[in-house]
Amino acid sequence: MINSYNDHKRYLILNLINHLRSVSRTDLADLTGYQLASISTLTKQLIEENILKETGSYSAGQGRKRTLLTLNSQYL
């Protein structure tokens, strides 16, 4: 059962990554409407819990490359 707003955010992020297979933090912020800082905090926690992993990057034009996130297959 989802018992807090942060649990809901985590659940949504994990479902999106599961569905999309790999996605950047910026894309997650665009898809969810959450602030990038909130996405970064939650994904950092999920990486520390070994649920997510960073798997590469891509360029979206000018600016920094975006780091891709995927579910850690060892966690599943």
Side-chain angles (χ1 to χ4, degrees):
M1 172 119 187
I2 299 173
N3 56 13
S4 77
Y5 189 59
N6 274 345
D7 288 343
H8 174 76
K9 285 182 177 181
R10 285 171 56 108
Y11 181 78
L12 179 59
I13 288 169
L14 290 171
N15 276 328
L16 282 169
I17 294 171
N18 184 49
H19 179 72
L20 298 172
R21 301 292 180 222
S22 65
V23 64
S24 71
R25 290 171 180 85
T26 303
D27 293 336
L28 285 172
D30 290 343
L31 290 167
T32 61
Y34 299 149
Q35 296 293 318
L36 186 55
S38 179
I39 295 290
S40 294
T41 299
L42 290 169
T43 56
K44 180 181 177 189
Q45 291 170 356
L46 291 165
I47 289 169
E48 289 172 353
E49 293 171 23
N50 208 30
I51 297 170
L52 292 181
K53 62 182 181 175
E54 294 179 333
T55 58
S57 62
Y58 73 96
S59 179
Q62 293 181 336
R64 299 176 110 183
K65 287 186 176 182
R66 295 180 181 186
T67 302
L68 295 172
L69 301 167
T70 61
L71 292 176
N72 185 352
S73 60
Q74 295 177 354
Y75 181 80
L76 303 175

